[in-house]
Amino acid sequence: TNLSLLNHRGPDEQKIIKFKYGSIGHTRLSIIGLKTKQASQPIFKEKKILSFNGEIYNYSYLSNELKKRKIVVSGKSDTEVLFLLLKNFGIKETLKKIDGMYAFSWCDLQKKECYLVRDKIGEKSLYYYINNNNFYFGSEIKSLIKLNGTKKSINLKKLSDYFYTGKINGNETFFKKIFEVEPGQIIKYDFKKNNLRKSFFWKIENKLKKKKKIDKNFELNLRNSIKSRFVSDVPIGIMLSSGLDSSTLFRILLEEFKNKEFTTFTATNKLKKFNENQKVDMLLKYLKKKFTNKIKNYRISPINFKEYLKEFKKISFFYDEPIQLFMSPLLSKICHNAKKNNFKVLYG
């Protein structure tokens, strides 16, 4: 099946649910609720099906809210919490409550409808394809391209977008008739009528303010945001450069999680212009003097041009579309190194 194409996304569990209108498959990378049955996916209960990719950062708080309403919940899985929220409150109310990164499908077989939802910024990807009144969706384009009857045609009219901004904007992709669920978007598909409706629950354009004044609560919000995203049942590694963002993030983690051990990963580069080793050494020296935390730093050895091209070719399989960042092969090497050292999650 096409599910095997996505094994790299979820090596811990593979499962397929078949129902009256079709089937949904899921490959799982376990981060929260490692061995709890409530975290197994897809969840199929009471004629409702959830397939969810991502993390709900405030799931513990929401679990307690469900308990206050006498809703039975184990509190060990964000997947379980999301399912119960959708079942009891519906899509729109659930999206007001959850804080996270996510792409999920929610099928209600009683109402004969299926929803595709993507988080506000689009951290998790989701694509769909309609052919002869058949509705298909997946977290990567390759799973849709391999479908029988899919015509693999390049979307030539959108190439100028890529050369101008580095990405095709909106809901189109590099392939004709394969569409992307946009950030903050809800796609509703009616199984009976075979029609599709689109709406947005959030748009960044609506949040941009004309005043360029920094919110007085910026630091508090940043701290709370960083702490909430540090929720995991597996070790979390830190991607550390000498840049302002990763340095600030790491310092806040050291302040908020006193005496916790941290493992950081840094890329090195043969080109002096891009090599941050010296600055990272200065940063680590300063942080080790200031904090009592034990810090271990892994350096990714520089790659030559031949290795760079080889890695570029390899990662193009995972990207599905032309790669935007020339640093992607180095990022890939960091991820391989982290995996080798038993890290499933990288923070950065």
Side-chain angles (χ1 to χ4, degrees):
T1 67
N2 287 356
L3 192 63
S4 61
L5 288 169
L6 301 178
N7 281 351
H8 58 274
R9 295 187 71 91
D12 298 327
E13 182 190 15
Q14 289 79 38
K15 189 169 147 190
I16 296 174
I17 294 286
K18 292 184 179 180
F19 55 100
K20 184 179 177 181
Y21 303 105
S23 60
I24 293 177
H26 188 94
T27 62
R28 182 176 176 235
L29 177 73
S30 51
I31 294 169
I32 292 172
L34 304 184
K35 293 180 181 177
T36 57
K37 63 179 181 180
Q38 292 90 347
S40 180
Q41 292 198 60
I43 295 182
F44 189 6
K45 284 181 185 175
E46 300 166 54
K47 294 194 172 181
K48 292 171 178 61
I49 307 170
L50 170 68
S51 181
F52 155 61
N53 175 27
E55 274 189 75
I56 306 301
Y57 303 125
N58 60 339
Y59 82 96
S60 291
Y61 167 79
L62 293 170
S63 175
N64 289 328
E65 291 296 300
L66 289 169
K67 284 174 185 173
K68 285 177 188 175
R69 292 173 180 260
K70 310 295 183 199
I71 296 167
V72 179
V73 56
S74 74
K76 293 176 182 177
S77 161
D78 56 347
T79 305
E80 175 199 27
V81 168
L82 180 59
F83 181 90
L84 291 170
L85 287 169
L86 289 164
K87 180 191 150 193
N88 289 283
F89 303 105
I91 292 272
K92 287 183 179 177
E93 281 306 306
T94 296
L95 292 171
K96 287 176 187 174
K97 294 175 187 290
I98 60 175
D99 172 28
M101 55 169 181
Y102 50 83
F104 66 81
S105 65
W106 173 251
C107 296
D108 189 325
L109 304 188
Q110 276 180 320
K111 293 180 179 177
K112 301 177 179 64
E113 57 193 28
C114 182
Y115 293 87
L116 302 183
V117 182
R118 193 173 175 202
D119 63 58
K120 294 175 180 178
I121 303 296
E123 285 187 67
K124 293 294 176 183
S125 55
L126 191 53
Y127 303 91
Y128 62 94
Y129 169 68
I130 299 171
N131 184 31
N132 298 327
N133 289 333
N134 290 317
F135 180 54
Y136 305 96
F137 58 88
S139 53
E140 289 188 7
I141 291 173
K142 65 177 70 61
S143 62
L144 301 177
I145 286 175
K146 291 286 182 179
L147 291 166
N148 291 331
T150 309
K151 290 180 181 177
K152 303 176 200 58
S153 303
I154 301 298
N155 193 358
L156 292 172
K157 68 181 174 69
K158 282 289 179 176
L159 281 182
S160 56
D161 259 30
Y162 173 73
F163 289 118
Y164 186 62
T165 64
K167 189 188 183 313
I168 288 181
N169 300 293
N171 70 342
E172 292 195 49
T173 67
F174 277 91
F175 299 89
K176 285 181 183 176
K177 296 185 180 178
I178 292 180
F179 298 97
E180 181 178 13
V181 179
E182 294 183 66
Q185 190 174 48
I186 303 170
I187 301 286
K188 179 186 175 184
Y189 186 78
D190 190 311
F191 289 123
K192 205 170 182 182
K193 296 175 184 174
N194 291 317
N195 73 350
L196 184 140
R197 287 186 181 178
K198 305 172 193 176
S199 61
F200 285 92
F201 67 92
W202 195 89
K203 272 190 172 184
I204 196 166
E205 290 85 350
N206 299 337
K207 298 290 174 183
L208 295 173
K209 293 177 182 176
K210 287 180 183 177
K211 290 180 183 176
K212 292 183 178 178
K213 193 170 69 176
I214 294 176
D215 191 317
K216 62 181 177 182
N217 295 321
F218 175 78
E219 189 182 344
L220 180 65
N221 291 335
L222 179 64
R223 282 181 180 273
N224 289 338
S225 180
I226 287 171
K227 281 194 290 181
S228 71
R229 279 145 181 78
F230 212 64
V231 176
S232 172
D233 293 337
V234 295
I236 298 177
I238 314 291
M239 287 194 287
L240 184 67
S241 69
S242 60
L244 181 66
D245 49 358
S246 74
S247 304
T248 304
L249 183 149
F250 190 35
R251 184 191 169 114
I252 289 173
L253 286 173
L254 289 165
E255 288 172 353
E256 296 293 339
F257 297 93
K258 290 181 172 67
N259 300 320
K260 182 179 171 63
E261 288 186 17
F262 285 98
T263 303
T264 63
F265 295 86
T266 302
T268 57
N269 202 304
K270 284 189 173 183
L271 297 171
K272 283 185 180 179
K273 184 181 174 183
F274 297 109
N275 195 2
E276 298 178 318
N277 266 1
Q278 203 175 347
K279 289 179 181 176
V280 168
D281 285 336
M282 287 169 64
L283 175 66
L284 288 172
K285 191 178 177 182
Y286 167 76
L287 294 174
K288 282 176 181 177
K289 276 184 181 177
K290 196 158 183 71
F291 300 98
T292 55
N293 309 66
K294 189 179 176 184
I295 303 167
K296 186 175 184 178
N297 179 246
Y298 284 102
R299 300 287 166 99
I300 313 310
S301 56
I303 53 178
N304 59 39
F305 190 61
K306 191 178 178 182
E307 289 174 299
Y308 180 88
L309 290 178
K310 189 179 175 183
E311 193 67 26
F312 219 92
K313 189 177 179 181
K314 192 165 71 176
I315 61 175
S316 65
F317 168 80
F318 301 107
Y319 276 68
D320 285 332
E321 296 183 284
I323 296 166
Q324 305 156 315
L325 302 170
F326 73 92
M327 297 296 280
S328 292
L330 266 179
L331 182 60
S332 175
K333 288 295 239 185
I334 288 177
C335 294
H336 283 303
N337 195 286
K339 187 181 178 182
K340 197 169 74 178
N341 286 285
N342 299 314
F343 285 89
K344 279 185 178 181
V345 180
L346 280 177
Y347 203 96

